[in-house]
Amino acid sequence: MFDASQIRALFPALQQQVNQRKLVYLDNAATTQKPESVIHAMAEYYRYDNANVHRASHALSARATRQFEASREVIQRLVNAKFPQEIIWTQGTTGAINLVANSYGSLLEAGDEVIISAMEHHANIVPWQLLAERSGIKLQIAPINGHGQIDMSAFSALLNENTRLVSVCHVSNALGTLNPIAEIIALSHQAGAKVLIDGAQGIAHCDVDVQQLDCDFYAFSGHKMYGPTGIGVLYGKQALLDAMPPWQGGGEMIKHVSFNGTSFNRLPFKFEAGTPNISAVIGLAQAAEFLQQTRASREHEAQLVAQLLEGLHAMEQVSIIGPTKGQIGSVSFTVTGEHHSDIATLLDEQGIAVRAGHHCAQPLMAQLGLKGTIRASIAAYNNSADIDNFLIALKHTLALLS
Ligand code: PMP
């Protein structure tokens, strides 16, 4: 049985007051809070095991390397990758997508096509635009329907023999839409295209099995799954990663360097130039363990989303933006006649943390004819009292403004 109050007690940041009110943290899609286990593991590394990995032949380095590589296996298990070397450490989802856009992207030629969707985060738009400028590939945009879902027949119509890659989010950070990624992957593969899933918003709320999904790449950030900032993961199929050239050069990624040329290290090191974010990797493994222990929270999270939707639907001035139900993690809305930032500021005065703005999805906002929305996003540690408090504070805010 899932117990949100037990889970909540593990998070020091949730035990505080903000503006003399108990903190209600509903900005989890931006970043989640961190459990004590993550904070402790990172501090212990710096206290006792601090050394560079893979290099020195001394005890601290051996300990650091052991933890660092064991973390890779934890993440391998989290997403059910076939091999640990299919897990590449990056700086975040952004770093992972840029790696693919630069490395896999360098194999593409003018006339090749990459498809993204109209609901993508800037991190899954701009790297492809930069690639298009460099190499002349064509960027195609799969449109969305009025409920903020990918128009699947329009998507299918875009697939053709020139499509080399489809890159879409698992879950939209701006709307909470869960995309039919299994169908997208199958259709793309039939057309001969590879598929990258931006899992930034999927990893904390969905069970991800990359072998079952058969995606070619899956990218995510540590800080949105109870882990530290500055660390993320690119999962890639081994054969594909092996065929891709290195992107960034430096230490760690080489086998041999001379002024006549350089040979490169094997996977995963080929893609991990320089000293990595060792403490964050160690913290991320703890976050993954925590995430696996809270798998039973899926039902609890769905109930919180349903409670949020019901409360918001009951407010006349409020319009839900995106799907009418079934959002994953995030619910986006606007308030007639009010600016989203004013609402967020007034909520903050009542101890409620939400996000207001374009959510790094300006093209999506432009299509919706909006400057921004207010987004309430939940995590496993939220409870129904948080949602009640949020709804009461929002009602109070609307009354104040009327
Ligand atoms: N994609 C999506 C769907 C996201 O929500 C985010 C973070 N808001 C990113 C990509 C970028 O993640 P990061 O900033 O951690 O690299």
Side-chain angles (χ1 to χ4, degrees):
M1 177 63 190
F2 180 77
D3 182 350
S5 62
Q6 258 182 16
I7 297 281
R8 199 182 183 91
L10 306 174
F11 288 78
L14 297 174
Q15 318 304 322
Q16 64 184 302
Q17 294 212 331
V18 167
N19 294 325
Q20 291 86 51
R21 305 288 186 91
K22 207 171 137 212
L23 169 65
V24 174
Y25 189 78
L26 294 175
D27 193 18
N28 294 288
T31 200
T32 54
Q33 298 302 337
K34 320 304 173 200
E36 191 57 54
S37 58
V38 169
I39 300 166
H40 179 73
M42 294 174 76
E44 289 287 289
Y45 161 73
Y46 277 126
R47 268 196 199 107
Y48 304 114
D49 304 326
N50 177 54
N52 213 328
V53 287
H54 301 137
R55 289 177 206 161
S57 51
H58 59 77
L60 268 59
S61 176
R63 284 209 301 264
T65 303
R66 234 183 352 259
Q67 290 181 69
F68 186 81
E69 289 307 323
S71 299
R72 205 185 295 277
E73 288 170 17
V74 171
I75 300 302
Q76 177 198 357
R77 287 196 292 277
L78 178 73
V79 298
N80 193 31
K82 210 166 184 177
F83 308 110
Q85 62 270 26
E86 294 180 318
I87 303 299
I88 313 287
W89 304 124
T90 65
Q91 140 251 320
T93 308
T94 305
I97 297 174
N98 274 280
L99 194 166
V100 178
N102 281 274
S103 172
Y104 180 77
S106 73
L107 305 172
L108 306 188
E109 293 168 359
D112 285 344
E113 298 183 14
V114 170
I115 303 177
I116 60 173
S117 86
M119 70 173 82
E120 299 307 315
H121 186 281
H122 296 163
N124 195 25
I125 301 174
V126 184
W128 308 114
Q129 289 176 330
L130 292 172
L131 174 63
E133 276 170 30
R134 279 198 306 276
S135 67
I137 62 135
K138 192 165 162 194
L139 187 58
Q140 300 275 28
I141 316 296
I144 55 170
N145 65 24
H147 294 301
Q149 292 150 333
I150 294 178
D151 176 336
M152 286 303 288
S153 54
F155 167 73
S156 299
L158 285 176
L159 286 166
N160 68 70
E161 71 277 8
N162 296 323
T163 313
R164 293 284 165 270
L165 183 77
V166 172
S167 187
V168 293
C169 57
H170 191 168
V171 172
S172 158
N173 66 307
L175 305 175
T177 314
L178 173 65
N179 283 325
I181 55 169
E183 192 184 343
I184 289 172
I185 292 164
L187 287 168
S188 305
H189 284 170
Q190 275 165 29
K194 305 294 183 205
V195 183
L196 186 159
I197 302 296
D198 169 354
Q201 300 295 336
I203 193 74
H205 304 290
C206 306
D207 294 336
V208 175
D209 180 332
V210 291
Q211 292 189 70
Q212 194 184 8
L213 278 171
D214 197 28
C215 56
D216 300 285
F217 303 104
Y218 192 96
F220 58 96
S221 301
H223 70 98
K224 292 179 197 283
M225 50 164 279
Y226 311 103
T229 52
I231 190 71
V233 171
L234 175 69
Y235 157 81
K237 283 182 183 163
Q238 173 162 269
L240 193 51
L241 292 173
D242 269 332
M244 285 160 48
W247 170 35
Q248 293 176 321
E252 193 83 346
M253 53 77 73
I254 54 92
K255 196 189 291 169
H256 181 74
V257 180
S258 81
F259 287 125
N260 295 323
T262 292
S263 55
F264 302 114
N265 207 337
R266 62 191 160 84
L267 284 178
F269 311 114
K270 180 172 90 173
F271 290 114
E272 294 178 356
T275 299
N277 195 343
I278 304 165
S279 66
V281 164
I282 291 167
L284 182 61
Q286 291 298 323
E289 303 280 13
F290 170 80
L291 192 57
Q292 272 165 325
Q293 284 157 23
T294 57
R295 279 203 193 280
S297 70
R298 304 278 186 265
E299 181 59 27
H300 166 73
E301 291 182 7
Q303 278 167 11
L304 296 180
V305 167
Q307 186 187 349
L308 252 175
L309 286 171
E310 195 186 327
L312 290 171
H313 273 306
M315 293 183 211
E316 238 171 57
Q317 277 172 277
V318 169
S319 306
I320 310 267
I321 309 297
T324 45
K325 62 178 173 73
Q327 281 88 334
I328 302 294
S330 298
V331 174
S332 236
F333 62 95
T334 54
V335 176
T336 311
E338 304 299 344
H339 195 276
H340 46 82
S341 299
D342 295 339
I343 304 281
T345 305
L346 290 168
L347 287 172
D348 178 54
E349 284 177 10
Q350 299 165 79
I352 316 274
V354 294
R355 174 86 172 256
H358 54 63
H359 314 294
C360 294
Q362 284 178 344
L364 170 65
M365 293 297 139
Q367 281 171 83
L368 297 170
L370 298 170
K371 289 246 169 355
T373 70
I374 303 145
R375 180 186 68 189
S377 54
I378 51 113
Y381 44 65
N382 289 118
N383 55 27
S384 102
D386 285 338
I387 308 298
D388 281 341
N389 287 335
F390 160 75
L391 293 169
I392 291 165
L394 181 60
K395 266 189 212 141
H396 180 66
T397 303
L398 299 189
L400 264 179
L401 289 168
S402 66

